[in-house]
mmCIF file with all atom_site columns, all heavy atoms in Angstrom:
data_model
loop_
_atom_site.group_PDB
_atom_site.id
_atom_site.type_symbol
_atom_site.label_atom_id
_atom_site.label_alt_id
_atom_site.label_comp_id
_atom_site.label_asym_id
_atom_site.label_entity_id
_atom_site.label_seq_id
_atom_site.pdbx_PDB_ins_code
_atom_site.Cartn_x
_atom_site.Cartn_y
_atom_site.Cartn_z
_atom_site.occupancy
_atom_site.B_iso_or_equiv
_atom_site.pdbx_formal_charge
_atom_site.auth_seq_id
_atom_site.auth_comp_id
_atom_site.auth_asym_id
_atom_site.auth_atom_id
_atom_site.pdbx_PDB_model_num
ATOM 1  N N   . ARG A 1 297 ? -30.828 -48.108 10.005 1.00 93.00 ? 473 ARG A N   1
ATOM 2  C CA  . ARG A 1 297 ? -30.511 -47.948 11.453 1.00 93.00 ? 473 ARG A CA  1
ATOM 3  C C   . ARG A 1 297 ? -29.763 -49.233 11.919 1.00 93.00 ? 473 ARG A C   1
ATOM 4  O O   . ARG A 1 297 ? -28.822 -49.133 12.689 1.00 93.00 ? 473 ARG A O   1
ATOM 5  C CB  . ARG A 1 297 ? -31.806 -47.814 12.290 1.00 93.00 ? 473 ARG A CB  1
ATOM 6  C CG  . ARG A 1 297 ? -32.432 -46.450 12.130 1.00 93.00 ? 473 ARG A CG  1
ATOM 7  C CD  . ARG A 1 297 ? -33.470 -46.101 13.199 1.00 93.00 ? 473 ARG A CD  1
ATOM 8  N NE  . ARG A 1 297 ? -34.499 -47.052 13.103 1.00 93.00 ? 473 ARG A NE  1
ATOM 9  C CZ  . ARG A 1 297 ? -35.633 -46.864 12.428 1.00 93.00 ? 473 ARG A CZ  1
ATOM 10 N NH1 . ARG A 1 297 ? -35.720 -45.762 11.674 1.00 93.00 ? 473 ARG A NH1 1
ATOM 11 N NH2 . ARG A 1 297 ? -36.578 -47.713 12.328 1.00 93.00 ? 473 ARG A NH2 1
ATOM 12 N N   . ASN A 1 298 ? -30.211 -50.376 11.583 1.00 93.00 ? 474 ASN A N   1
ATOM 13 C CA  . ASN A 1 298 ? -29.557 -51.627 12.020 1.00 93.00 ? 474 ASN A CA  1
ATOM 14 C C   . ASN A 1 298 ? -28.128 -51.660 11.475 1.00 93.00 ? 474 ASN A C   1
ATOM 15 O O   . ASN A 1 298 ? -27.203 -52.006 12.149 1.00 93.00 ? 474 ASN A O   1
ATOM 16 C CB  . ASN A 1 298 ? -30.285 -52.756 11.509 1.00 93.00 ? 474 ASN A CB  1
ATOM 17 C CG  . ASN A 1 298 ? -31.608 -52.922 12.245 1.00 93.00 ? 474 ASN A CG  1
ATOM 18 O OD1 . ASN A 1 298 ? -31.869 -52.334 13.341 1.00 93.00 ? 474 ASN A OD1 1
ATOM 19 N ND2 . ASN A 1 298 ? -32.515 -53.697 11.639 1.00 93.00 ? 474 ASN A ND2 1
ATOM 20 N N   . ILE A 1 299 ? -27.943 -51.282 10.245 1.00 94.00 ? 475 ILE A N   1
ATOM 21 C CA  . ILE A 1 299 ? -26.645 -51.310 9.573  1.00 94.00 ? 475 ILE A CA  1
ATOM 22 C C   . ILE A 1 299 ? -25.650 -50.302 10.230 1.00 94.00 ? 475 ILE A C   1
ATOM 23 O O   . ILE A 1 299 ? -24.550 -50.686 10.556 1.00 94.00 ? 475 ILE A O   1
ATOM 24 C CB  . ILE A 1 299 ? -26.628 -50.959 8.077  1.00 94.00 ? 475 ILE A CB  1
ATOM 25 C CG1 . ILE A 1 299 ? -27.294 -52.097 7.277  1.00 94.00 ? 475 ILE A CG1 1
ATOM 26 C CG2 . ILE A 1 299 ? -25.261 -50.480 7.532  1.00 94.00 ? 475 ILE A CG2 1
ATOM 27 C CD1 . ILE A 1 299 ? -27.753 -51.642 5.857  1.00 94.00 ? 475 ILE A CD1 1
ATOM 28 N N   . PHE A 1 300 ? -26.156 -49.111 10.545 1.00 94.00 ? 476 PHE A N   1
ATOM 29 C CA  . PHE A 1 300 ? -25.239 -48.063 11.195 1.00 94.00 ? 476 PHE A CA  1
ATOM 30 C C   . PHE A 1 300 ? -25.011 -48.348 12.696 1.00 94.00 ? 476 PHE A C   1
ATOM 31 O O   . PHE A 1 300 ? -24.021 -47.881 13.248 1.00 94.00 ? 476 PHE A O   1
ATOM 32 C CB  . PHE A 1 300 ? -25.859 -46.696 11.038 1.00 94.00 ? 476 PHE A CB  1
ATOM 33 C CG  . PHE A 1 300 ? -25.480 -46.163 9.601  1.00 94.00 ? 476 PHE A CG  1
ATOM 34 C CD1 . PHE A 1 300 ? -26.343 -46.331 8.499  1.00 94.00 ? 476 PHE A CD1 1
ATOM 35 C CD2 . PHE A 1 300 ? -24.218 -45.417 9.421  1.00 94.00 ? 476 PHE A CD2 1
ATOM 36 C CE1 . PHE A 1 300 ? -26.043 -45.954 7.297  1.00 94.00 ? 476 PHE A CE1 1
ATOM 37 C CE2 . PHE A 1 300 ? -23.977 -44.974 8.175  1.00 94.00 ? 476 PHE A CE2 1
ATOM 38 C CZ  . PHE A 1 300 ? -24.849 -45.085 7.057  1.00 94.00 ? 476 PHE A CZ  1
ATOM 39 N N   . SER A 1 301 ? -25.841 -49.254 13.348 1.00 92.00 ? 477 SER A N   1
ATOM 40 C CA  . SER A 1 301 ? -25.412 -49.542 14.657 1.00 92.00 ? 477 SER A CA  1
ATOM 41 C C   . SER A 1 301 ? -24.700 -50.801 14.895 1.00 92.00 ? 477 SER A C   1
ATOM 42 O O   . SER A 1 301 ? -24.364 -51.260 16.006 1.00 92.00 ? 477 SER A O   1
ATOM 43 C CB  . SER A 1 301 ? -26.904 -49.705 15.444 1.00 92.00 ? 477 SER A CB  1
ATOM 44 O OG  . SER A 1 301 ? -27.611 -50.822 14.923 1.00 92.00 ? 477 SER A OG  1
ATOM 45 N N   . SER A 1 302 ? -24.310 -51.425 13.877 1.00 92.00 ? 478 SER A N   1
ATOM 46 C CA  . SER A 1 302 ? -23.673 -52.757 13.830 1.00 92.00 ? 478 SER A CA  1
ATOM 47 C C   . SER A 1 302 ? -22.149 -52.475 14.322 1.00 92.00 ? 478 SER A C   1
ATOM 48 O O   . SER A 1 302 ? -21.621 -51.434 14.077 1.00 92.00 ? 478 SER A O   1
ATOM 49 C CB  . SER A 1 302 ? -23.556 -53.406 12.529 1.00 92.00 ? 478 SER A CB  1
ATOM 50 O OG  . SER A 1 302 ? -22.886 -52.617 11.570 1.00 92.00 ? 478 SER A OG  1
#
Side-chain angles (χ1 to χ4, degrees):
R473 282 195 298 272
N474 293 340
I475 287 169
F476 279 89
S477 65
S478 61

